Coordinates of all heavy atoms in Angstrom, one line a residue:
M903 N -1.1 -5.0 -14.5 CA -1.1 -4.5 -13.1 C -0.3 -5.4 -12.1 O 0.1 -4.9 -11.1 CB -2.6 -4.4 -12.6 CG -2.8 -3.6 -11.4 SD -2.4 -1.9 -12.0 CE -2.3 -1.1 -10.4
G904 N -0.2 -6.6 -12.5 CA 0.5 -7.5 -11.6 C 2.0 -7.3 -11.6 O 2.7 -7.4 -10.5
V905 N 2.6 -6.9 -12.7 CA 4.1 -6.6 -12.7 C 4.5 -5.5 -11.8 O 5.5 -5.7 -11.0 CB 4.5 -6.4 -14.2 CG1 6.0 -6.0 -14.2 CG2 4.3 -7.6 -15.0
P906 N 3.8 -4.3 -11.8 CA 4.2 -3.3 -10.8 C 4.1 -3.7 -9.4 O 4.9 -3.4 -8.5 CB 3.3 -2.1 -11.1 CG 2.9 -2.3 -12.5 CD 2.8 -3.8 -12.7
L907 N 3.1 -4.5 -9.1 CA 2.9 -5.0 -7.7 C 4.0 -6.0 -7.3 O 4.5 -5.9 -6.2 CB 1.5 -5.7 -7.6 CG 0.3 -4.8 -7.5 CD1 -0.9 -5.6 -7.5 CD2 0.4 -3.8 -6.4
V908 N 4.5 -6.8 -8.2 CA 5.6 -7.7 -8.0 C 6.8 -6.9 -7.7 O 7.6 -7.2 -6.8 CB 5.8 -8.7 -9.1 CG1 7.1 -9.5 -9.0 CG2 4.6 -9.7 -9.2
I909 N 7.1 -5.9 -8.5 CA 8.3 -5.0 -8.3 C 8.2 -4.3 -7.0 O 9.2 -4.3 -6.3 CB 8.4 -4.0 -9.5 CG1 8.7 -4.8 -10.8 CG2 9.4 -3.0 -9.2 CD1 8.6 -3.9 -12.0
L910 N 7.0 -3.8 -6.6 CA 6.9 -3.2 -5.3 C 7.1 -4.2 -4.1 O 7.8 -3.8 -3.2 CB 5.5 -2.5 -5.2 CG 5.3 -1.2 -5.9 CD1 3.9 -0.8 -5.9 CD2 6.2 -0.2 -5.4
H911 N 6.6 -5.4 -4.3 CA 6.8 -6.4 -3.3 C 8.3 -6.8 -3.2 O 8.8 -7.0 -2.0 CB 5.9 -7.6 -3.5 CG 4.5 -7.4 -3.1 ND1 3.6 -7.0 -4.0 CD2 3.9 -7.6 -1.9 CE1 2.4 -6.9 -3.3 NE2 2.6 -7.3 -2.1
L912 N 8.9 -6.9 -4.3 CA 10.4 -7.3 -4.2 C 11.2 -6.2 -3.6 O 12.1 -6.4 -2.8 CB 10.9 -7.6 -5.7 CG 10.4 -8.9 -6.2 CD1 10.9 -9.1 -7.7 CD2 10.8 -10.1 -5.4
S913 N 10.8 -4.9 -3.9 CA 11.6 -3.8 -3.3 C 11.3 -3.7 -1.8 O 12.3 -3.5 -1.1 CB 11.1 -2.5 -4.0 OG 11.3 -2.5 -5.4
A914 N 10.1 -4.0 -1.4 CA 9.8 -4.0 0.0 C 10.5 -5.1 0.7 O 11.1 -5.0 1.8 CB 8.3 -4.1 0.3
A915 N 10.6 -6.3 0.1 CA 11.3 -7.4 0.7 C 12.8 -7.1 0.8 O 13.4 -7.5 1.8 CB 11.1 -8.7 -0.2
Y916 N 13.4 -6.5 -0.2 CA 14.8 -6.1 -0.2 C 15.0 -5.2 1.0 O 16.0 -5.3 1.7 CB 15.2 -5.5 -1.5 CG 16.7 -5.1 -1.4 CD1 17.7 -6.0 -1.4 CD2 17.0 -3.7 -1.3 CE1 19.0 -5.6 -1.4 CE2 18.3 -3.3 -1.3 CZ 19.3 -4.3 -1.3 OH 20.6 -3.9 -1.2
S917 N 14.1 -4.2 1.2 CA 14.3 -3.2 2.3 C 14.2 -3.9 3.6 O 15.0 -3.6 4.5 CB 13.2 -2.1 2.2 OG 13.4 -1.4 1.0
C918 N 13.3 -4.8 3.8 CA 13.2 -5.6 5.0 C 14.4 -6.5 5.3 O 14.9 -6.5 6.4 CB 11.9 -6.5 5.0 SG 10.4 -5.6 5.2
F919 N 14.9 -7.1 4.2 CA 16.0 -7.9 4.4 C 17.3 -7.1 4.7 O 18.1 -7.6 5.6 CB 16.3 -8.7 3.0 CG 17.5 -9.6 3.1 CD1 17.4 -10.8 3.8 CD2 18.6 -9.3 2.4 CE1 18.4 -11.7 3.8 CE2 19.7 -10.2 2.5 CZ 19.6 -11.4 3.2
S920 N 17.4 -5.9 4.2 CA 18.6 -5.1 4.5 C 18.4 -4.6 5.9 O 19.4 -4.5 6.7 CB 18.8 -4.0 3.6 OG 17.6 -3.1 3.6
A921 N 17.2 -4.3 6.4 CA 17.0 -3.9 7.8 C 17.3 -5.0 8.8 O 17.9 -4.8 9.8 CB 15.6 -3.4 8.0
A922 N 17.0 -6.2 8.4 CA 17.2 -7.4 9.3 C 18.7 -7.7 9.3 O 19.2 -8.3 10.3 CB 16.5 -8.6 8.8
G923 N 19.5 -7.3 8.3 CA 20.9 -7.6 8.3 C 21.8 -6.6 9.0 O 23.0 -6.9 9.2
I924 N 21.2 -5.5 9.5 CA 22.0 -4.5 10.2 C 22.2 -5.0 11.6 O 21.2 -5.2 12.4 CB 21.3 -3.1 10.1 CG1 21.2 -2.7 8.7 CG2 22.0 -2.1 11.0 CD1 20.5 -1.4 8.5
R925 N 23.4 -5.1 12.0 CA 23.8 -5.5 13.4 C 24.6 -4.4 14.1 O 25.4 -3.8 13.5 CB 24.6 -6.8 13.4 CG 23.9 -7.9 12.7 CD 22.9 -8.6 13.7 NE 22.3 -9.7 13.1 CZ 21.0 -9.9 12.9 NH1 20.2 -9.0 13.4 NH2 20.5 -11.0 12.3
P926 N 24.4 -4.2 15.4 CA 25.2 -3.2 16.1 C 26.7 -3.7 16.2 O 26.9 -4.9 16.3 CB 24.6 -3.1 17.5 CG 23.3 -3.8 17.4 CD 23.3 -4.7 16.2
S927 N 27.6 -2.8 16.0 CA 29.1 -3.1 16.1 C 29.5 -3.4 17.5 O 30.4 -4.2 17.8 CB 29.9 -2.0 15.4 OG 29.5 -1.8 14.1
Y928 N 28.9 -2.6 18.4 CA 29.3 -2.7 19.9 C 28.0 -2.4 20.7 O 27.0 -1.9 20.1 CB 30.4 -1.8 20.2 CG 30.2 -0.3 19.7 CD1 29.6 0.6 20.6 CD2 30.6 0.1 18.4 CE1 29.5 1.9 20.1 CE2 30.4 1.4 18.0 CZ 29.9 2.3 18.9 OH 29.7 3.6 18.5
P929 N 28.0 -2.7 22.0 CA 26.7 -2.5 22.7 C 26.2 -1.1 22.7 O 24.9 -0.9 22.8 CB 27.1 -2.9 24.2 CG 28.3 -3.8 24.0 CD 29.0 -3.3 22.8
G930 N 26.9 0.0 22.6 CA 26.4 1.3 22.7 C 26.2 1.9 21.3 O 26.1 3.2 21.2
D931 N 26.2 1.1 20.3 CA 26.1 1.6 18.9 C 24.8 2.3 18.7 O 23.7 1.6 18.6 CB 26.4 0.5 17.9 CG 26.6 1.0 16.5 OD1 26.6 2.2 16.3 OD2 26.7 0.1 15.6
E932 N 24.8 3.6 18.4 CA 23.5 4.3 18.2 C 23.2 4.5 16.7 O 22.1 4.8 16.3 CB 23.6 5.7 18.8 CG 23.6 5.7 20.3 CD 22.3 5.2 20.9 OE1 21.3 5.5 20.3 OE2 22.4 4.5 21.9
A933 N 24.2 4.1 15.9 CA 24.0 4.2 14.4 C 23.2 3.0 13.9 O 22.5 3.2 12.9 CB 25.3 4.3 13.7
A934 N 23.2 1.9 14.6 CA 22.5 0.7 14.1 C 21.0 0.9 14.1 O 20.4 0.6 13.1 CB 22.9 -0.5 14.9
P935 N 20.4 1.4 15.2 CA 19.0 1.6 15.2 C 18.6 2.6 14.1 O 17.5 2.5 13.5 CB 18.6 2.1 16.6 CG 19.7 1.6 17.4 CD 20.9 1.6 16.6
T936 N 19.4 3.7 13.9 CA 19.1 4.7 12.9 C 19.1 4.0 11.5 O 18.3 4.3 10.7 CB 20.1 5.8 13.0 OG1 20.1 6.4 14.3 CG2 19.8 6.9 12.0
G937 N 20.1 3.2 11.3 CA 20.2 2.5 10.0 C 19.0 1.5 9.8 O 18.5 1.5 8.7
I938 N 18.6 0.9 10.8 CA 17.4 0.0 10.7 C 16.2 0.9 10.4 O 15.4 0.5 9.5 CB 17.2 -0.8 12.0 CG1 18.4 -1.8 12.1 CG2 15.9 -1.5 12.0 CD1 18.4 -2.4 13.5
Q939 N 16.0 2.0 11.0 CA 14.8 2.9 10.7 C 14.9 3.4 9.3 O 13.9 3.4 8.6 CB 14.8 4.0 11.7 CG 14.4 3.6 13.1 CD 14.5 4.8 14.1 OE1 15.0 5.9 13.8 NE2 14.1 4.5 15.3
L940 N 16.1 3.8 8.9 CA 16.2 4.2 7.5 C 16.0 3.2 6.5 O 15.5 3.4 5.4 CB 17.6 4.9 7.3 CG 17.8 6.2 8.0 CD1 19.3 6.6 7.8 CD2 16.9 7.2 7.4
A941 N 16.3 1.9 6.8 CA 16.1 0.8 5.9 C 14.6 0.4 5.9 O 14.1 -0.1 4.8 CB 16.9 -0.4 6.3
C942 N 13.9 0.6 7.0 CA 12.5 0.3 7.0 C 11.6 1.4 6.4 O 10.4 1.1 6.0 CB 12.0 0.1 8.5 SG 12.7 -1.4 9.2
T943 N 12.1 2.6 6.3 CA 11.2 3.7 5.7 C 10.8 3.4 4.3 O 9.6 3.6 3.9 CB 12.0 5.0 5.8 OG1 12.3 5.2 7.2 CG2 11.2 6.1 5.2
P944 N 11.7 2.9 3.4 CA 11.2 2.6 2.0 C 10.2 1.5 2.0 O 9.3 1.4 1.2 CB 12.5 2.2 1.3 CG 13.6 2.7 2.0 CD 13.1 2.8 3.5
T945 N 10.3 0.5 3.0 CA 9.3 -0.5 3.0 C 7.9 0.0 3.2 O 6.9 -0.4 2.6 CB 9.6 -1.5 4.2 OG1 11.0 -2.0 4.0 CG2 8.7 -2.7 4.2
I946 N 7.8 1.0 4.1 CA 6.5 1.6 4.4 C 6.0 2.3 3.1 O 4.8 2.3 2.7 CB 6.5 2.6 5.6 CG1 6.9 1.8 6.8 CG2 5.3 3.4 5.7 CD1 7.3 2.6 8.0
G947 N 6.9 3.0 2.4 CA 6.5 3.7 1.2 C 6.1 2.7 0.1 O 5.1 3.0 -0.6
F948 N 6.9 1.6 -0.1 CA 6.5 0.6 -1.1 C 5.2 0.0 -0.8 O 4.4 -0.4 -1.7 CB 7.6 -0.4 -1.2 CG 8.9 0.1 -1.7 CD1 10.1 -0.3 -1.2 CD2 8.9 0.9 -2.8 CE1 11.3 0.1 -1.7 CE2 10.1 1.4 -3.3 CZ 11.3 1.0 -2.8
S949 N 4.9 -0.2 0.5 CA 3.6 -0.9 0.9 C 2.4 0.1 0.7 O 1.3 -0.4 0.4 CB 3.7 -1.3 2.3 OG 4.8 -2.2 2.5
A950 N 2.6 1.3 0.9 CA 1.5 2.3 0.9 C 1.3 2.8 -0.5 O 0.2 3.3 -0.8 CB 1.8 3.5 1.8
S951 N 2.2 2.7 -1.4 CA 2.1 3.3 -2.8 C 0.9 2.6 -3.6 O 0.2 3.3 -4.3 CB 3.4 3.2 -3.5 OG 3.8 1.9 -3.7
P952 N 0.7 1.3 -3.5 CA -0.5 0.8 -4.2 C -1.8 1.3 -3.7 O -2.8 1.5 -4.5 CB -0.4 -0.7 -4.0 CG 1.0 -1.0 -3.6 CD 1.5 0.2 -2.9
C953 N -1.9 1.7 -2.5 CA -3.1 2.3 -1.9 C -3.5 3.6 -2.5 O -4.6 4.1 -2.4 CB -3.0 2.3 -0.4 SG -2.8 0.8 0.4
S954 N -2.4 4.3 -3.0 CA -2.7 5.7 -3.5 C -2.9 5.6 -5.0 O -3.1 6.7 -5.6 CB -1.5 6.6 -3.2 OG -0.3 6.1 -3.8
S955 N -2.9 4.5 -5.7 CA -3.0 4.4 -7.1 C -4.5 4.3 -7.4 O -5.2 3.3 -7.1 CB -2.3 3.2 -7.6 OG -2.7 2.9 -9.0
P956 N -5.1 5.3 -8.1 CA -6.5 5.2 -8.4 C -6.8 4.0 -9.3 O -7.9 3.4 -9.2 CB -6.8 6.5 -9.2 CG -5.6 7.4 -8.9 CD -4.5 6.5 -8.6
R957 N -5.9 3.6 -10.2 CA -6.2 2.5 -11.1 C -6.3 1.2 -10.3 O -7.2 0.4 -10.5 CB -5.0 2.4 -12.1 CG -5.2 1.3 -13.1 CD -4.0 1.4 -14.0 NE -4.1 0.3 -15.0 CZ -3.2 0.0 -15.8 NH1 -2.1 0.7 -15.9 NH2 -3.3 -1.1 -16.6
L958 N -5.4 1.0 -9.3 CA -5.5 -0.2 -8.5 C -6.7 -0.2 -7.6 O -7.4 -1.2 -7.3 CB -4.2 -0.3 -7.6 CG -4.2 -1.6 -6.7 CD1 -4.2 -2.8 -7.6 CD2 -3.0 -1.5 -5.8
L959 N -7.1 1.0 -7.1 CA -8.3 1.1 -6.2 C -9.5 0.8 -7.0 O -10.4 0.1 -6.4 CB -8.4 2.5 -5.6 CG -7.3 2.9 -4.6 CD1 -7.5 4.4 -4.2 CD2 -7.4 2.0 -3.4
R960 N -9.6 1.1 -8.3 CA -10.8 0.8 -9.1 C -10.8 -0.7 -9.3 O -11.9 -1.4 -9.2 CB -10.7 1.5 -10.4 CG -11.2 2.9 -10.4 CD -11.4 3.4 -11.8 NE -10.3 3.3 -12.7 CZ -9.3 4.2 -12.8 NH1 -9.4 5.3 -12.1 NH2 -8.3 4.0 -13.7
C961 N -9.6 -1.3 -9.5 CA -9.6 -2.8 -9.7 C -9.9 -3.6 -8.4 O -10.7 -4.6 -8.5 CB -8.2 -3.3 -10.2 SG -7.8 -2.7 -11.9
A962 N -9.4 -3.1 -7.3 CA -9.6 -3.8 -6.1 C -11.0 -3.6 -5.6 O -11.5 -4.4 -4.8 CB -8.6 -3.3 -5.0
A963 N -11.7 -2.6 -6.0 CA -13.1 -2.3 -5.6 C -14.0 -3.5 -6.0 O -15.0 -3.7 -5.4 CB -13.6 -1.0 -6.1
R964 N -13.7 -4.2 -7.1 CA -14.5 -5.3 -7.5 C -14.5 -6.4 -6.5 O -15.5 -7.2 -6.4 CB -14.0 -5.8 -8.8 CG -14.3 -4.9 -10.0 CD -13.9 -5.6 -11.3 NE -12.6 -4.9 -11.7 CZ -11.8 -5.4 -12.6 NH1 -12.1 -6.5 -13.2 NH2 -10.7 -4.7 -13.0
W965 N -13.4 -6.6 -5.7 CA -13.4 -7.7 -4.8 C -13.8 -7.3 -3.4 O -13.9 -8.1 -2.5 CB -11.9 -8.2 -4.7 CG -11.6 -8.9 -6.0 CD1 -12.1 -10.0 -6.5 CD2 -10.6 -8.4 -6.9 NE1 -11.5 -10.3 -7.7 CE2 -10.6 -9.3 -8.0 CE3 -9.7 -7.3 -7.0 CZ2 -9.8 -9.1 -9.1 CZ3 -8.9 -7.2 -8.0 CH2 -8.9 -8.1 -9.1
G966 N -14.2 -6.0 -3.2 CA -14.7 -5.6 -1.9 C -16.1 -6.0 -1.7 O -16.7 -6.6 -2.5
P967 N -16.7 -5.6 -0.5 CA -18.1 -5.9 -0.3 C -19.0 -5.3 -1.3 O -19.0 -4.1 -1.4 CB -18.3 -5.4 1.1 CG -17.1 -4.7 1.6 CD -16.0 -4.9 0.5
G968 N -19.8 -6.1 -2.0 CA -20.7 -5.6 -2.9 C -20.1 -5.1 -4.2 O -20.8 -4.4 -5.0
G969 N -18.8 -5.4 -4.4 CA -18.2 -4.8 -5.6 C -18.5 -5.5 -6.9 O -18.5 -4.8 -8.0
S970 N -18.9 -6.7 -6.9 CA -19.2 -7.4 -8.2 C -20.7 -7.1 -8.7 O -21.0 -7.5 -9.7 CB -19.0 -8.9 -8.1 OG -19.8 -9.4 -7.1
R971 N -21.5 -6.6 -7.8 CA -22.9 -6.3 -8.2 C -23.0 -5.1 -9.1 O -22.2 -4.1 -8.9 CB -23.8 -6.1 -6.9 CG -24.0 -7.4 -6.2 CD -24.9 -7.1 -5.0 NE -23.9 -7.0 -3.9 CZ -24.1 -6.5 -2.7 NH1 -25.3 -5.9 -2.5 NH2 -23.2 -6.5 -1.8
R972 N -23.9 -5.1 -10.0 CA -24.1 -4.0 -10.9 C -24.9 -2.9 -10.2 O -25.9 -3.2 -9.5 CB -24.9 -4.4 -12.1 CG -24.0 -4.8 -13.2 CD -24.8 -4.7 -14.5 NE -24.0 -5.2 -15.6 CZ -23.3 -4.5 -16.4 NH1 -23.3 -3.2 -16.3 NH2 -22.5 -5.0 -17.3
R973 N -24.5 -1.7 -10.3 CA -25.2 -0.6 -9.7 C -26.2 0.0 -10.7 O -25.8 0.2 -11.9 CB -24.2 0.5 -9.2 CG -23.3 -0.1 -8.3 CD -22.3 0.9 -7.8 NE -21.1 0.3 -7.2 CZ -21.0 0.0 -5.9 NH1 -22.0 0.3 -5.1 NH2 -19.9 -0.5 -5.4
S974 N -27.4 0.3 -10.3 CA -28.3 0.8 -11.3 C -28.3 2.3 -11.2 O -28.1 3.0 -10.3 CB -29.7 0.4 -10.9 OG -29.8 -0.8 -10.3

């Protein structure tokens, strides 16, 4: 389970890094903010995808409040 999470984190870091590297060419450049938004969109997807995985949710439930106690 750790390897997919590392891959997702690296992908999100690459998206953030590419968004941080986009600079406007001139003061009225409207394409730069659009490029930054497009570069940030995969970051949100990479960050939200583990939350939608039932396998990860079952594993993470053990560390939540009362997760380690046995249920009768």
